[in-house]
Amino acid sequence: MRSINPATEDVIETYDEHDEPTVSARLDEAWREFESWRTKPIERREALLADVADVLRENADEYATRMTTEMGKPIEQAVAEVEKCAWVCEYYAEHAAEFLQNDRIGTVPGSKTYVSYEPIGPVLAVMPWNYPFWQVFRFAAPHITAGNVAVLKHAPNVFGCARAIESVFERAGYPSGVFTSLQIPAERVSTLIEDDRIKGVSLTGSTRAGRAVAETSGHELKPTVLELGGSDPFIVLDDAPIERAAKQGAKARTQNNGQSCIAAKRFLVHETVYDEFLERFTEEMNALTVGDPSKAQTDIGPQARADLLESLHEQVTRSVVSGATLHLGGKPLDQAGYYYPPTILTDVPDDAPAATEELFGPVATVLKVETEQEAIRVANDTPYGLGASIWTGDTERGEALTQKITAGNVFVNQVVASDPRVPFSGTKASGHGTELSHHGIQEFVTKKTIWIDEVSDSV
C-alpha cells in the first residue's frame, strides 16, 4: 500500500499490510488494556487527554507537514486542523466527567435510582483521508476518555498520519493498547467488525462505505456512528448580504481543496440577486491561488489521488454534456500533481451529475430559484442530509427556514462547520448517530439503570 504525494506524484512511502496474526495480537492487547483502562478514574483519563492537546501544539508543524505531504491540504489549513484537534481534546478534558456523571432519577420513596454510563470496549474507527487528524481526534477524544479503547483503520494514503497519531498518544503517556492503528485495506473491515473483540464501529466516509459497515454491524448487533457524504445547499435569498455570501461561499466550496462532506456544493440563488451573486462569486473563485500546498499563499492544493481527480472531471464533463454551462474552470491543470481549478457550473439540468451526485472537489453548482419555497424544495431534493446554510438579511426569516430543511446541521449567515461544543450528525443517506458535544460522548457507552431499595424488616 503506497502513499503518494499528490502535489508531485512521488511515492512517499510503501506500507506493508498487517497480516492476521499481527491484527489479532493488537486486538488482544486492546482488549486486555480495556479491562484496566475502564477502571482508571475519569479525572486521570481527562488529565492524559489534556496532555495530548499539549503534544499536538508542541509538534503542530510536524503533523501539519505530514498531512500536506500525504493528501495535499494547504499548509495553513493543516496547521489549523492540528489546533482544532487540540481544542477538542481540551474540551473533553474539561467536560467528560460532567457529561458522564450518574443521572439520578426520582422513582419511589426509599429507592435510589440512577443511570450510569459505562464503556463498552474496543471501538473500531474507520476514518478517511480528507481530514486525517481531525476525524480521528473527534472520535478518539470523547470515546477513549469515556473508558473505551480505540482501534483505528485509516485510509492507506495517510498511514503516515495514522502512525503520527499513535505517537501523539504515546508521547502523552497513554498505556499501550488504548490507541491502536491497523494497516489493512478496506476489504478486511467487515471481518474486523465481525470479531468479538470489537464492540462498536464509527465510520466517516462515503455512503457506499457506510451501507457496507451498517450491514455488517447490524448483523453483529454492534452500535455504529456513521458520518457519510453530503451535497450541502447554500441558499442565497433575495435579501442576502451578497458580498459576504459570495466570499464565504467560495471559501465553503474550496476549503480542503473542495474535499469535504460539509462543503457547500449546490448554490441556490434567488433570481433577483442571481446575476450579482454569480458575478461576485466568480470573482472570489477566480482569485484563489492554486498551487504548491506547502506554500502559505496557496488556497487550493491538489486533489488527494489521481483517481479522485479523474472521477471529478468525469462528473463535470458528463454535466456539461447533459446541458450544464461551464462558467469557470473545468479542466485539470496541465502540470505534475492532481490539480483541479476552481470551477463553476450554471444552467445545470435536474438529472445532471452536478445536481444529483456529490462532487468532491472545488466545483460549485449555481442554480437560479424563483422563490423561497423553490429554494427549500431544491435544497431537500437530494438523498443527502448533512448540512445546509441560509443567507439572509432577516435572521428571523432564516431561523424559520431552518425547520424546513432536512439536514443534521443548518447554519444561518455562516458556513457549515463542526464544533466540539455542539452535536454533529447527518440524516438520510448522510448517516446516523452523533459526534461531539455531550451527545457524542454517549454513543459508545451502556446507559445502565441502577435501582437500589433500602433493606426493610417488613414483609
Side-chain angles (χ1 to χ4, degrees):
M1 294 181 285
R2 297 189 304 169
S3 177
I4 297 175
N5 186 330
T8 64
E9 303 183 45
D10 295 330
V11 176
I12 303 168
E13 192 166 350
T14 300
Y15 297 92
D16 293 330
E17 181 178 337
H18 285 162
D19 59 20
E20 285 302 326
T22 299
V23 170
S24 186
R26 293 195 174 203
L27 291 180
D28 279 342
E29 183 182 30
W31 183 256
R32 287 194 302 268
E33 186 54 46
F34 167 65
E35 295 295 344
S36 172
W37 178 249
R38 67 181 301 179
T39 66
K40 283 184 168 47
I42 193 168
E43 293 78 13
R44 173 59 180 154
R45 299 197 296 261
E46 287 178 322
L48 282 170
L49 192 61
D51 292 341
V52 169
D54 292 338
V55 172
L56 285 165
R57 289 201 174 97
E58 290 165 4
N59 302 278
D61 290 342
E62 172 192 341
Y63 302 142
T65 299
R66 170 61 65 175
M67 280 188 274
T68 295
T69 303
E70 287 194 327
M71 54 75 57
K73 187 188 304 288
I75 189 65
E76 290 194 344
Q77 295 179 31
V79 171
E81 181 167 334
V82 177
E83 172 58 33
K84 192 170 185 179
C85 293
W87 178 26
V88 76
C89 290
E90 288 178 335
Y91 178 77
Y92 283 108
E94 181 179 351
H95 295 290
E98 171 194 346
F99 295 157
L100 296 172
Q101 64 185 327
N102 292 340
D103 185 8
R104 298 194 176 274
I105 300 173
T107 53
V108 297
S111 294
K112 180 181 181 181
T113 49
Y114 60 93
V115 176
S116 68
Y117 300 92
E118 302 181 5
I120 63 173
V123 180
L124 173 64
V126 183
M127 292 294 143
W129 48 263
N130 59 335
Y131 288 93
F133 268 63
W134 168 244
Q135 304 284 14
V136 175
F137 277 96
R138 80 176 184 185
F139 157 80
H143 300 307
I144 285 178
T145 312
N148 299 299
V149 299
V151 179
L152 171 66
K153 185 276 176 220
H154 220 325
N157 60 323
V158 291
F159 276 163
C161 289
R163 288 184 174 181
I165 294 169
E166 277 189 301
S167 77
V168 171
F169 287 97
E170 292 171 3
R171 293 180 184 185
Y174 278 75
S176 178
V178 171
F179 184 93
T180 301
S181 179
L182 302 178
Q183 292 176 186
I184 62 173
E187 293 75 21
R188 292 173 62 187
V189 168
S190 292
T191 301
L192 199 57
I193 295 172
E194 292 168 350
D195 194 293
D196 288 342
R197 290 164 291 187
I198 294 295
K199 299 302 180 183
V201 187
S202 178
L203 173 135
T204 299
S206 68
T207 299
R208 178 184 56 79
R211 286 195 172 99
V213 166
E215 181 178 1
T216 306
S217 300
H219 184 269
E220 298 299 317
L221 299 179
K222 294 179 180 179
T224 59
V225 170
L226 305 175
E227 194 268 276
L228 309 177
S231 186
D232 288 9
F234 187 102
I235 300 172
V236 183
L237 297 177
D238 52 358
D239 62 349
I242 299 301
E243 184 173 353
R244 182 164 178 262
K247 189 175 189 66
Q248 291 299 309
K251 176 182 176 182
R253 175 57 281 199
T254 60
Q255 189 165 3
N256 203 45
N257 307 334
Q259 299 167 128
S260 173
C261 293
I262 56 172
K265 298 186 175 82
R266 297 176 298 137
F267 292 77
L268 315 180
V269 186
H270 194 280
E271 62 179 2
T272 60
V273 295
Y274 177 86
D275 291 340
E276 181 184 0
F277 175 83
L278 182 59
E279 178 181 359
R280 291 179 179 265
F281 182 59
T282 303
E283 291 172 356
E284 294 289 346
M285 292 280 278
N286 205 31
L288 296 171
T289 299
V290 182
D292 184 348
S294 68
K295 304 298 184 183
Q297 66 269 24
T298 296
D299 299 305
I300 302 176
Q303 301 299 282
R305 299 194 312 259
D307 61 307
L308 298 170
L309 174 70
E310 293 166 2
S311 295
L312 178 67
H313 185 54
E314 190 266 341
Q315 288 174 304
V316 171
T317 300
R318 283 195 290 121
S319 295
V320 172
V321 170
S322 296
T325 298
L326 186 61
H327 183 78
L328 180 71
K331 184 178 181 182
L333 300 188
D334 186 16
Q335 63 184 69
Y338 312 133
Y339 290 95
Y340 206 82
T343 296
I344 299 175
L345 295 170
T346 60
D347 307 315
V348 179
D350 292 343
D351 59 349
T356 61
E357 301 174 9
E358 180 180 22
L359 273 59
F360 216 60
V363 180
T365 299
V366 183
L367 304 171
K368 183 187 296 186
V369 295
E370 296 181 359
T371 64
E372 177 183 291
Q373 291 72 27
E374 184 184 2
I376 298 301
R377 180 187 63 76
V378 176
N380 290 331
D381 186 20
T382 172
Y384 300 105
L386 191 55
S389 59
I390 301 169
W391 295 79
T392 174
D394 184 345
T395 55
E396 291 186 1
R397 179 188 186 189
E399 185 174 6
L401 291 179
T402 64
Q403 305 300 313
K404 300 180 180 181
I405 293 179
T406 306
N409 311 272
V410 184
F411 287 61
V412 177
N413 295 332
Q414 184 58 269
V415 299
V416 178
S418 57
D419 184 309
R421 298 165 296 187
V422 295
F424 184 86
S425 61
T427 187
K428 299 196 292 186
S430 291
H432 66 249
T434 301
E435 295 181 289
L436 302 175
S437 79
H438 71 276
H439 301 276
I441 199 173
Q442 295 180 1
E443 286 285 359
F444 293 112
V445 295
T446 298
K447 300 175 179 68
K448 180 185 287 185
T449 294
I450 309 294
W451 188 303
I452 304 169
D453 274 349
E454 296 294 336
V455 175
S456 173
D457 292 333
S458 60
V459 176

